[in-house]
Amino acid sequence: MGGHYENDIMRQLQEVLARCDKLDKKVDDTKTAWKKEVKQIKSDFAVERKQFKGKIKELETELTTVKTENKKLKKRVVELETENSKLRSQLNNDSTNSSLPPSTDQKGKRANTYNSREKSNKPSGGQCGHKGKTLTAEKIKRKIESGDLKHSIVEIGSTDKPYAVRYVVDFDITAIVKELHFHADENGKIIIPEEYRAVVTYGEVIKAMAVQLYSEGVVSNDRICEFLNSISDNKIEIATGSVYNFIKNFSKRSEEKIAEITEKLKESEVVYTDATNITVNGKQAYIRNQSTEEVVLYSAMNKKSKEEIEEKTVLKDYEGILIHDHETSMYSYGTKHGECIVHLLRYLKKNTEETKNDWSDKLTGFFVMLNKERKSKKEKGEWFSSGEYTQYSCEYDKIVKRGYKQNGTTESKYAKAEEIKLLNRLKKYKENHLMFVKDNRVSFDNNLSERDLRKCKNRQKMAGGFRTETGHEMYCRILSVIETCKRRKENIF
């Protein structure tokens, strides 16, 4: 039994070893399979990793492109918002908040109301109690007695019965011919003045009417001919060329008067100036006025350049107070400057509309109050004391400071930029904006210039400008003489 036991043990050991060999082989096969699988996995992972890296790179490139495009789009949005704000601002411009004339206002909009005038229910024309200027019978009688008016009596009805008197004031237009006899002097020589070198010429009244119709009437040469011929019942036949010569000769003869006006302007304490654009042969040009209560000079200019201003106006030699609409080029001339506050109020109103900030509205009320106080003092023969001026100056500074603070919260980028420009202007030109308070010779506005230039603008609208520079210059010289005569109550004929 003992021998068999060892054999059994040996056999079992061999079986165990055989099973171990099988297990070892299985382990080796499994390891080989795993290694192969791991290798495949690593290979597949490497491929996928490479693919993912490529995809990541593509996504990073795409992200960079998207970021760049997004940045551009954001910039474009800002640009479009700014442009939209600018266009809305321009669309809302009218005569109340910009330099545009009332004729450009949209239907239903009112003209400039800086002085807070409200529409009333009163009818147009003179109101009840208003002192009229009716031509009365007493005035007519005095003019007849003095010989100022030619007088004739027309009997209507039976002359042996009572009558009532009515006066009819009219013109008696009659074409006349003056025959001038120039006799020889002691030497037997007949001297005929240059203006009568032609055997037949036209008189001064006809020439004056032609010039008046051309300048203030803005009537074409053809229509002037028609008018003058028709009022003579076509008994005279004036040609278009003759009308042009009347105008041309008057322009030449006005040089002495222009020189007088120029000297008067140089001596004036205050001069008002502005410029308006017109067209000459289809190109933009300008007319600049230099005005006082007594004289006015219109200057024909092709540009607003310094060279043109110094060559064609009196401003280069002027040493007084210059009133203008914040033309910075004007600060090169004169010794003191006052700016048109009405012009400034339009920009303040525009700022209030665009930014919704109240500082500009407060400054508008401040200026309107000052103007009312100024008028009241002038009527009483008084003026602002230095203490009052200092007080108003501080109030001005306080409102401007409030404006800078509110500008920080202004939403629209365009409105914000425009507001800061306005504030900087108010800060820099404070003395000029308050000049109408400091000096009683300076007015609140530049309306004198605007009234003087309105005639030029009307001509531009009606006639479409000038054909030549010569016509441009002739018109300015003629209008300077006529408007100065009207200011001086002189008979323009």
Side-chain angles (χ1 to χ4, degrees):
M1 185 174 179
H4 291 296
Y5 175 76
E6 292 175 353
N7 290 336
D8 290 339
I9 293 297
M10 180 61 71
R11 188 174 57 251
Q12 288 180 4
L13 180 61
Q14 288 174 347
E15 288 176 359
V16 170
L17 290 173
R19 288 174 64 186
C20 286
D21 289 338
K22 286 181 181 180
L23 288 173
D24 286 341
K25 186 175 184 304
K26 191 174 182 179
V27 170
D28 290 340
D29 292 341
T30 303
K31 283 184 178 179
T32 302
W34 283 356
K35 284 181 180 179
K36 187 177 181 181
E37 189 176 348
V38 169
K39 187 176 182 182
Q40 184 63 42
I41 291 172
K42 285 183 177 180
S43 176
D44 293 342
F45 179 75
V47 172
E48 290 180 3
R49 188 169 180 269
K50 187 176 182 181
Q51 290 175 347
F52 279 122
K53 278 187 175 180
K55 190 65 175 176
I56 289 170
K57 191 171 183 181
E58 288 178 8
L59 291 173
E60 285 177 345
T61 303
E62 186 177 347
L63 181 61
T64 303
T65 304
V66 169
K67 284 182 176 180
T68 304
E69 290 179 355
N70 188 42
K71 189 176 180 180
K72 288 180 180 178
L73 288 172
K74 283 184 176 179
K75 184 179 179 182
R76 183 59 179 159
V77 167
V78 172
E79 290 174 353
L80 289 173
E81 286 179 347
T82 303
E83 185 177 356
N84 188 37
S85 298
K86 184 177 180 180
L87 290 173
R88 282 204 311 269
S89 176
Q90 292 174 351
L91 187 63
N92 292 330
N93 282 347
D94 55 42
S95 62
T96 70
N97 58 19
S98 70
S99 298
L100 291 175
S103 59
T104 63
D105 287 353
Q106 297 177 20
K107 187 176 180 180
K109 286 198 173 184
R110 298 175 58 191
N112 197 332
T113 54
Y114 80 89
N115 55 2
S116 302
R117 287 181 298 182
E118 296 295 333
K119 184 176 178 60
S120 69
N121 295 320
K122 295 179 181 178
S124 301
Q127 303 302 309
C128 182
H130 171 71
K131 187 178 180 180
K133 295 183 179 180
T134 305
L135 192 58
T136 63
E138 288 72 19
K139 288 182 181 179
I140 293 297
K141 287 177 183 179
R142 287 198 298 269
K143 289 180 181 292
I144 292 173
E145 292 170 0
S146 65
D148 289 342
L149 293 176
K150 186 179 177 180
H151 180 228
S152 64
I153 299 175
V154 179
E155 302 288 355
I156 301 174
S158 178
T159 57
D160 58 349
K161 293 185 177 180
Y163 62 89
V165 176
R166 294 293 183 273
Y167 296 99
V168 178
V169 181
D170 204 349
F171 290 115
D172 182 11
I173 301 175
T174 306
I176 62 173
V177 176
K178 295 179 182 178
E179 184 176 335
L180 307 180
H181 294 184
F182 292 95
H183 296 275
D185 59 14
E186 60 273 10
N187 298 321
K189 187 176 180 179
I190 297 176
I191 301 174
I192 299 177
E194 180 65 21
E195 60 265 30
Y196 299 114
R197 63 180 179 178
V199 177
V200 179
T201 60
Y202 292 102
E204 297 300 323
V205 174
I206 288 178
K207 293 177 181 178
M209 288 181 70
V211 171
Q212 177 73 0
L213 289 169
Y214 164 79
S215 57
E216 292 223 307
V218 195
V219 182
S220 68
N221 291 354
D222 290 338
R223 291 173 61 198
I224 292 173
C225 287
E226 291 175 7
F227 175 76
L228 294 177
N229 290 336
S230 65
I231 65 172
S232 72
D233 198 19
N234 292 315
K235 292 176 182 177
I236 59 175
E237 299 176 357
I238 299 176
T240 306
S242 297
V243 170
Y244 177 77
N245 286 331
F246 298 161
I247 297 166
K248 182 179 178 181
N249 291 334
F250 182 87
S251 176
K252 289 181 179 178
R253 290 170 61 184
S254 67
E255 290 180 0
E256 184 177 341
K257 193 77 172 177
I258 294 294
E260 178 193 336
I261 293 171
T262 300
E263 289 304 313
K264 189 70 177 176
L265 284 168
K266 291 178 183 178
E267 296 169 359
S268 300
E269 293 181 341
V270 180
V271 168
Y272 298 79
T273 186
D274 199 357
T276 188
N277 61 297
I278 49 90
T279 56
V280 177
N281 194 25
K283 297 180 180 179
Q284 181 167 285
Y286 302 90
I287 293 177
R288 177 170 289 282
N289 76 298
Q290 299 115 92
S291 306
T292 68
E293 296 294 341
E294 295 183 5
V295 297
V296 56
L297 177 65
Y298 294 92
S299 301
M301 301 172 61
N302 293 321
K303 299 178 182 178
K304 285 186 176 181
S305 64
K306 183 178 180 181
E307 292 75 15
E308 288 262 318
I309 290 173
E310 294 185 354
E311 179 185 352
K312 298 184 177 180
T313 72
V314 302
L315 299 178
K316 180 182 177 181
D317 302 316
Y318 182 63
E319 297 180 352
I321 302 172
L322 206 55
I323 310 297
H324 52 86
D325 295 348
H326 190 61
E327 290 184 82
T328 53
S329 59
M330 292 296 103
Y331 281 92
S332 300
Y333 313 103
T335 53
K336 292 182 180 179
H337 298 264
E339 291 200 8
C340 176
I341 304 304
V342 173
H343 191 264
L344 178 62
L345 293 183
R346 295 171 191 162
Y347 289 100
L348 291 171
K349 183 176 186 293
K350 183 68 174 175
N351 184 76
T352 303
E353 293 173 348
E354 297 295 325
T355 66
K356 311 303 180 186
N357 293 335
D358 67 356
W359 72 266
S360 43
D361 199 38
K362 288 182 180 294
L363 190 58
T364 296
F366 172 73
F367 278 126
V368 172
M369 178 276 293
L370 281 182
N371 189 38
K372 288 180 180 178
E373 183 69 17
R374 176 181 180 275
K375 288 179 180 178
S376 176
K377 284 184 178 291
K378 289 199 80 169
E379 288 173 359
K380 298 175 183 177
E382 302 172 355
W383 197 244
F384 297 98
S385 65
S386 58
E388 287 176 313
Y389 178 79
T390 301
Q391 178 186 345
Y392 292 136
S393 178
C394 291
E395 182 65 22
Y396 180 101
D397 290 338
K398 187 188 296 183
I399 297 173
V400 172
K401 186 177 180 181
R402 180 187 181 93
Y404 277 111
K405 185 177 180 180
Q406 291 184 352
N407 178 255
T409 60
T410 302
E411 294 181 2
S412 169
K413 187 175 179 181
Y414 174 76
K416 187 184 184 77
E418 292 298 306
E419 184 176 45
I420 202 70
K421 287 180 187 177
L422 179 59
L423 287 164
N424 290 341
R425 169 187 167 183
L426 289 166
K427 183 178 180 180
K428 181 176 180 180
Y429 295 97
K430 173 182 138 180
E431 295 295 327
N432 310 106
H433 294 155
L434 295 178
M435 184 65 72
F436 76 99
V437 176
K438 194 170 188 178
D439 194 323
N440 63 2
R441 296 170 297 176
V442 177
S443 68
F444 181 74
D445 52 48
N446 194 19
N447 286 351
L448 183 61
S449 286
E450 294 184 5
R451 289 195 298 270
D452 287 339
L453 289 177
R454 195 168 295 135
K455 301 171 182 64
C456 307
K457 186 57 72 176
N458 288 340
R459 191 189 192 286
Q460 170 72 16
K461 292 177 182 177
M462 295 170 68
F466 302 91
R467 293 181 183 177
T468 63
E469 289 186 14
T470 302
H472 183 197
E473 293 170 356
M474 283 168 47
Y475 175 79
C476 289
R477 286 198 293 268
I478 291 170
L479 199 61
S480 296
V481 173
I482 289 177
E483 288 301 314
T484 297
C485 287
K486 288 167 66 177
R487 273 175 166 74
R488 294 176 172 179
K489 309 297 182 184
E490 296 174 352
N491 190 327
I492 58 178
F493 283 95

